[in-house]
Amino acid sequence: MTRAGRVVLLVLGLGGLLALLAIAAADLPAFGSVHSAYAAFARHAAYADRHAANSVAAVVFDVRGLDTMIEEFILFAAATATALLLRSTREEDAERAEDHGEGDALKLFGIGGVGAVVVLGLYVVAHGYVSPGGGFQGGVVLATAAALVFLAGTYRAFRRVTPQSLLEGAESLGVLAWPALGVGTLASGSAFLANVLPPGSIGSLASAGTIPLLNAATGLAVASAFTLIGVEFLEELFAERARGEEGRS
Amino acid sequence: MSVYPYVIGIVVFGLGLGGIAVSRHLVHAIVCLNVAQTGTYVLLLAVGWRRHGTAPILGGVPKGSHQVDPVVQALTLTDIVVGITVSGLLLALAIQVHRRRGTMDPDELRALRG
Amino acid sequence: MTAVQIMALSLVALSALLVVLTRDLVKLTIANSIYGLVLVVLFLVFGAPDVALSELVVGAVAMPLAIVVAIVKERGE
């Protein structure tokens, strides 16, 4: 089929779909007037039952915990598949590529910045159920700290702080903690991933039952997965550069 | 006017889909897929908003105020992070395609070749 | 519906159009980052700080890094 034929088909199909969606949107309740009973239940479950001040974290890690566990599996599968794909056909060893690092100002910023970003990431993960934040956001911030090592330093320094075996082990641990905790709560007599630990006092770090554990596991898994993907991509880049230098010498 | 947010969500989704279909570069197609996903996030959050509603966090917001829906926010935030991971996987696939076939143009990648 | 929300929504639609129409990959990276930033503003205006934080860390770091690697890979070979 020619490109013009494809575009005509696209216009017909997409136009029809959007028209149907627009008709459906006209029937939706007015913006701002939806008073969902499930939302009221989720808020009550978060504040009154679990004593978690951040109700979004309570919903993610407790009320809809099974969904989040399956999303963790998707994350794990995607990171593993990326590593598999890029490693299987890589020919050159990236360690031989030249990378002299950047200027002194950037190095100085990196020295101070990496520590600060790591502390920020750990803070965001740890206070996830007390204030906005959580395992997902803090995990990506921690992965950013690893990227900062590469940006402000050399590629070799980056590889030294991110050994692949450590990253894979940490990611597996973070993802495995979810079904392990579920089996633990099953063994204690409740449902899978039920919140069986004491709720504690709302607003403090010692609250919300099993949510802090799942939060920490998620932070570990997300940080390792993103760093692993970053390592694989950068390895690609430097294998390319090593091949280019090999060709020139 | 009160359906404007829903319409914007649908428009962004349609833009993303159209962008994938007429794209001439695999990386551009992947970014357009991401844009289509963000259209669904806009729709979800628009459904959850409540008039005069504040963020669904206890403490720091005035007591007795209404709060927006936390369930749709929970769905959206896991979706964003996992969506980027899947986009990373798709980019790795695009890199592999470029390695094998030397091009990233979808129009030239038609036949299945061994 | 407040004026800030209407403006944020319109900006989101315009930025999405910008991202879809950009062909050059380097400009696409910049457009994607702008789009991520506009989305963060929208999420904040909708009262969702968790989601805004998520989109901020993802759109500012992870996505541009991945796209830049794909760009350089394509130019190298």
Side-chain angles (χ1 to χ4, degrees):
Chain A
M1 188 183 276
T2 66
R3 191 182 173 83
R6 281 213 315 264
V7 172
V8 167
L9 198 59
L10 168 76
V11 167
L12 289 176
L14 196 62
L17 174 68
L18 291 182
L20 285 174
L21 282 175
I23 294 172
D27 272 340
L28 280 174
F31 179 57
S33 65
V34 180
H35 296 231
S36 157
Y38 193 31
F41 162 76
R43 275 196 293 270
H44 177 84
Y47 302 147
D49 286 340
R50 274 81 168 175
H51 291 194
N54 184 359
S55 63
V56 179
V59 173
V60 165
F61 293 113
D62 194 349
V63 178
R64 315 256 359 156
L66 270 177
D67 295 348
T68 310
M69 185 173 79
I70 296 179
E71 301 254 6
E72 288 281 326
F73 292 163
I74 297 175
L75 188 85
F76 180 73
T80 311
T82 306
L84 264 175
L85 256 182
L86 292 177
R87 272 185 220 172
S88 62
T89 54
R90 194 175 297 142
E91 296 146 3
E92 281 289 332
D93 184 13
E95 291 289 320
R96 286 189 267 157
E98 294 283 319
D99 185 14
H100 299 289
E102 306 296 325
D104 285 335
L106 201 53
K107 279 199 181 107
L108 196 61
F109 171 74
I111 289 172
V114 169
V117 173
V118 166
V119 169
L120 178 68
L122 290 173
Y123 168 81
V124 170
V125 170
H127 287 75
Y129 48 97
V130 172
S131 59
F136 287 99
Q137 294 92 327
V140 184
V141 174
L142 286 172
T144 307
L148 193 56
V149 171
F150 164 66
L151 283 174
T154 64
Y155 181 64
R156 257 181 223 137
F158 172 66
R159 286 314 310 272
R160 221 174 293 142
V161 299
T162 57
Q164 266 159 336
S165 51
L166 178 70
L167 289 177
E168 289 162 10
E171 190 190 3
S172 314
L173 188 66
V175 172
L176 258 180
W178 278 85
L181 197 76
V183 167
T185 55
L186 261 183
S188 77
S190 293
F192 187 81
L193 282 183
N195 201 336
V196 294
L197 292 180
S201 65
I202 192 168
S204 76
L205 274 183
S207 61
T210 55
I211 291 177
L213 303 172
L214 293 173
N215 195 27
T218 304
L220 188 64
V222 169
S224 328
F226 270 78
T227 311
L228 187 63
I229 293 180
V231 164
E232 292 301 329
F233 273 117
L234 286 173
E235 186 92 357
E236 273 300 306
L237 214 57
F238 280 85
E240 186 66 39
R241 200 181 279 192
R243 197 179 320 153
E245 284 163 13
E246 198 89 348
R248 253 181 284 133
S249 63
Chain B
M1 205 49 178
S2 62
V3 296
Y4 188 54
Y6 310 134
V7 166
I8 293 290
I10 293 168
V11 160
V12 169
F13 178 69
L15 277 175
L17 276 187
I20 296 175
V22 300
S23 168
R24 285 189 199 271
H25 197 282
L26 280 182
V27 176
H28 178 256
I30 293 167
V31 172
C32 288
L33 177 67
N34 209 24
V35 168
Q37 286 180 312
T38 57
T40 64
Y41 307 151
V42 172
L43 185 63
L44 269 177
L45 285 184
V47 167
W49 191 71
R50 192 169 156 164
R51 195 169 306 147
H52 306 304
T54 53
I57 318 263
L58 200 64
V61 295
K63 253 197 173 324
S65 58
H66 302 298
Q67 290 187 339
V68 299
D69 189 346
V71 178
V72 287
Q73 290 187 20
L75 297 174
T76 310
L77 96 83
T78 57
D79 204 357
I80 289 177
V81 173
V82 173
I84 290 296
T85 315
V86 173
S87 294
L89 173 61
L90 288 174
L91 281 170
L93 270 173
I95 291 176
Q96 287 292 74
V97 164
H98 182 74
R99 219 184 241 156
R100 302 273 168 125
R101 304 284 289 269
T103 177
M104 276 207 192
D105 190 340
D107 285 336
E108 294 177 20
L109 292 165
R110 226 140 356 121
L112 288 170
R113 234 179 287 151
Chain C
M1 201 161 87
T2 67
V4 184
Q5 284 174 337
I6 297 179
M7 220 163 55
L9 284 165
S10 316
L11 269 178
V12 163
L14 284 174
S15 305
L17 187 65
L18 177 74
V19 168
V20 168
L21 288 180
T22 307
R23 285 284 163 86
D24 177 32
L25 279 192
V26 175
K27 293 180 192 157
L28 186 65
T29 316
I30 299 175
N32 201 22
S33 296
I34 295 176
Y35 182 61
L37 189 62
V38 168
L39 268 184
V40 168
V41 171
L42 179 71
F43 292 156
L44 276 176
V45 165
F46 273 7
D50 281 290
V51 181
L53 194 45
S54 234
E55 174 67 39
L56 185 62
V57 296
V58 151
V61 175
M63 199 64 177
L65 181 67
I67 298 178
V68 162
V69 172
I71 292 175
V72 176
K73 285 298 291 186
E74 200 204 359
R75 287 210 190 140
E77 293 182 11

